[in-house]
Amino acid sequence: MAELGRNQILVRRVAFGAVTGVLGTTAVVAGLISRRWAALVVHLWGRSCLLIAGVPVTVEGSEHIVSGERYVIMANHESALDIPVLLAALPTALEVRFLAKKSLFSVPFLGWAMRSAGFVPVDREDRSSAAAMLEQTLGEVRRGASPLIFPEETWTLDGRLLPFQRGGFLVALKTGLAILPIGLEGPRVVQPPDEGRITPQPVTVRIGRPITTTELGVSNRRELTERTRNEIDRLRGSAGNIRDQEP
């Protein structure tokens, strides 16, 4: 599909702003009652953004999600579109709580809504805050949530998976929750990193089989990381991606 014209881009930006303002405020108010209510509003925001952008999402592997189970969800990270896509694709019953970069929490309405919904800020510049971030994430797990982590922590710029950081794997090993691997195919093509333009195209979300951690200890972290990385690399497909084995 062709890129959007200037007028279309302007209209959609205004619509994005209006939806973010209205639903962001609603999420803050809902958060005064319950984080679950705030999270439901944030899910609605994600779906609304994709509707405005004209980006359909196909979900494969939903049968791998067991009703009533919690997971440490991990996905590749390749675009600003990733969060709305995952919000739209994952069932609200999972009680998803994103670990997202700290700067997003300063964005009016959006950041306020994320905080109200129990999302966890990640400060990549201050590694000394890692312990506090881990404790906050474990707190959300104790409340019944499934943390969603981008183990690369930032967008890939060339289509290759970046090194996976250890934080999410420590959460999985400390809680005994299975890792739910997810591959995103298409967000990088629809909205390239650090670009505002959107080229409406379908996006695919592939959910893999959960990777159990109950019999593993911290000493198995590297093995668990490699297994998860290989699975996410397989699940993310080829649209806009460069596979690990390619030169």
Side-chain angles (χ1 to χ4, degrees):
M1 297 183 184
E3 291 182 20
L4 298 175
R6 289 185 179 180
N7 290 338
Q8 291 174 303
I9 291 174
L10 178 60
V11 168
R12 293 191 182 202
R13 283 180 176 173
V14 170
F16 283 136
V19 165
T20 301
V22 171
L23 293 182
T25 302
T26 304
V28 172
V29 175
L32 298 175
I33 304 171
S34 165
R35 284 188 176 182
R36 177 175 294 183
W37 286 23
L40 289 173
V41 177
V42 173
H43 272 269
L44 178 60
W45 171 82
R47 292 172 181 171
S48 299
C49 286
L50 295 178
L51 181 63
I52 293 168
V55 177
V57 175
T58 299
V59 182
E60 301 176 2
S62 295
E63 67 275 9
H64 296 145
I65 298 176
V66 178
S67 178
E69 290 290 325
R70 291 173 298 154
Y71 304 93
V72 175
I73 306 166
M74 295 192 185
N76 56 304
H77 199 13
E78 54 180 52
S79 170
L81 204 65
D82 295 345
I83 290 179
V85 165
L86 287 165
L87 285 170
L90 293 173
T92 57
L94 276 178
E95 293 288 330
V96 175
R97 302 290 185 268
F98 280 81
L99 274 70
K101 60 182 179 180
K102 185 178 179 181
S103 60
L104 286 177
F105 289 78
S106 300
V107 178
F109 301 108
L110 174 60
W112 306 338
M114 290 169 64
R115 198 173 297 278
S116 295
F119 289 16
V120 180
V122 177
D123 189 347
R124 297 198 302 267
E125 304 300 323
D126 181 12
R127 291 296 177 181
S128 66
S129 66
M133 179 201 70
L134 177 60
E135 184 54 38
Q136 185 176 349
T137 304
L138 293 175
E140 291 300 325
V141 172
R142 288 191 288 270
R143 294 184 184 96
S146 294
L148 194 155
I149 297 165
F150 296 112
E152 298 167 274
E153 290 192 352
T154 190
W155 303 331
T156 174
L157 297 178
D158 65 0
R160 299 178 189 273
L161 279 181
L162 299 174
F164 278 18
Q165 304 303 313
R166 67 175 186 169
F169 298 97
L170 292 177
V171 172
L173 291 168
K174 284 180 176 291
T175 60
L177 294 180
I179 293 173
L180 187 69
I182 294 180
L184 303 178
E185 182 174 24
R188 186 169 176 272
V189 177
V190 174
Q191 186 175 21
D194 297 322
E195 293 189 21
R197 66 180 176 87
I198 290 178
T199 304
Q201 294 189 54
V203 167
T204 301
V205 177
R206 295 190 183 89
I207 302 170
R209 295 182 182 277
I211 300 171
T212 59
T213 65
T214 49
E215 297 182 3
L216 302 179
V218 175
S219 61
N220 302 112
R221 180 177 58 82
R222 291 184 183 276
E223 172 190 342
L224 180 62
T225 301
E226 181 178 2
R227 181 181 174 188
T228 304
R229 194 176 191 279
N230 289 340
E231 180 64 358
I232 289 176
D233 190 38
R234 182 186 71 83
L235 290 167
R236 71 194 185 115
S238 59
N241 299 324
I242 299 176
R243 303 298 296 275
D244 270 353
Q245 64 268 29
E246 296 181 19

